[in-house]
Amino acid sequence: MPAAAYAGKECVCQFKRGICDQTCVRDMLETPFYIACLKLSGRRCLVIGGGEIGLEKVEGLLACGGDVTLMAPTAVPELEALAAEGSIAWERRDYAGPEDLDATFIVVACTDDTDVNIGIYEDAERRAMLVNVVDVPPLCNFILPAIVRTGPLAVAISTAGASPALAKRMKREISALFGEEYARLAVILNDVRGWAKGTLPTYQDRKAFFEEIVNGEPDPIVLLRAGDEAGVAALVEAAKAGHAPTAVA
């Protein structure tokens, strides 16, 4: 279970058990999480806590184009550097209350103060906004999966908090299985989307067109691994010829 929630450790959630009895995580494996990809560009993302975990969360949000604000009286040198270069805003103070969440899309808290974390979660919940208190499942309305990124491709891996170690192993194996050639094929397919939308009249027509390319012979992934982009271009052109509507005389 998450590092901050296991039997025998001091309780760190709103259940206030005193000593953790895992009440807060018993239903984790049965929870059907709704998996979504969030567009963060231009949205205010607040990270509360300036330690190493805060750095990890800030870097993840920046990688997705978030407008990141750090709230912490002190921060590790790497976060100080990001603030100095203007990559993030830094409010050098503790969390003060719900007004700190104004105009905020997502908040990630990683303080070492249980009462502060509970307050952040409850304030965010009242505003129906996204909140994650790191390693405390009952103080989260979303969880962060392990992500494999290659170009435009992203594969999310979640064990519902049961085993981060297993998620890391799966991440390594998926990274090895789906390499650069898959990302390149995604770019090629994106480039031809305009033609498909402008030429093929129905969703089913467009689906058949793209499936013919992706599942084509020769295999486009094999071609790209061999550096044969011309072969993939030929597959695309053949699919266009086979699916383009016949002109009526």
Side-chain angles (χ1 to χ4, degrees), residues 20-223:
C20 178
D21 62 3
Q22 290 194 320
T23 296
C24 61
V25 294
R26 284 177 184 156
D27 65 345
M28 284 284 289
L29 298 184
E30 286 74 44
T31 300
F33 287 98
Y34 184 76
I35 305 299
C37 297
L38 302 178
K39 183 178 180 181
L40 298 184
S41 300
R43 297 183 184 273
R44 184 175 188 256
C45 304
L46 179 62
V47 175
I48 304 175
E52 293 294 338
I53 296 175
L55 173 62
E56 175 189 334
K57 303 309 176 184
V58 164
E59 289 178 335
L61 293 167
L62 286 176
C64 296
D67 182 4
V68 181
T69 295
L70 171 69
M71 185 173 291
T74 61
V76 296
E78 294 89 344
L79 285 170
E80 290 184 346
L82 288 171
E85 71 187 24
S87 294
I88 64 173
W90 183 11
E91 297 189 17
R92 303 187 185 209
R93 60 181 178 85
D94 291 318
Y95 179 77
E99 64 279 359
D100 286 339
L101 303 180
D102 287 348
T104 299
F105 179 67
I106 186 172
V107 57
V108 178
C110 41
T111 84
D112 56 6
D113 188 315
T114 293
D115 290 334
V116 170
N117 290 338
I118 292 172
I120 293 167
Y121 171 76
E122 292 178 343
D123 291 343
E125 276 284 279
R126 280 191 287 269
R127 291 172 175 240
M129 61 180 288
L130 294 170
V131 55
N132 179 289
V133 176
V134 177
D135 269 346
V136 189
L139 299 182
C140 303
N141 56 27
F142 75 98
I143 60 174
L144 294 167
I147 303 292
V148 178
R149 295 187 189 278
T150 307
L153 299 183
V155 180
I157 305 154
S158 173
T159 62
S163 178
L166 177 59
K168 288 181 180 178
R169 171 178 173 168
M170 294 173 67
K171 180 177 179 179
R172 290 195 303 270
E173 293 180 359
I174 289 172
S175 295
L177 182 61
F178 299 105
E180 293 292 338
E181 61 276 0
Y182 283 87
R184 181 58 191 148
L185 182 57
V187 171
I188 291 170
L189 295 173
N190 183 67
D191 289 342
V192 79
R193 285 180 67 202
W195 178 90
K197 286 188 174 183
T199 307
L200 305 178
T202 71
Y203 168 81
Q204 291 300 331
D205 291 332
R206 294 188 290 273
K207 178 182 176 183
F209 168 72
F210 283 110
E211 287 187 349
E212 181 173 320
I213 298 170
V214 170
N215 301 313
E217 286 295 337
D219 186 331
I221 293 297
V222 173
L223 291 173

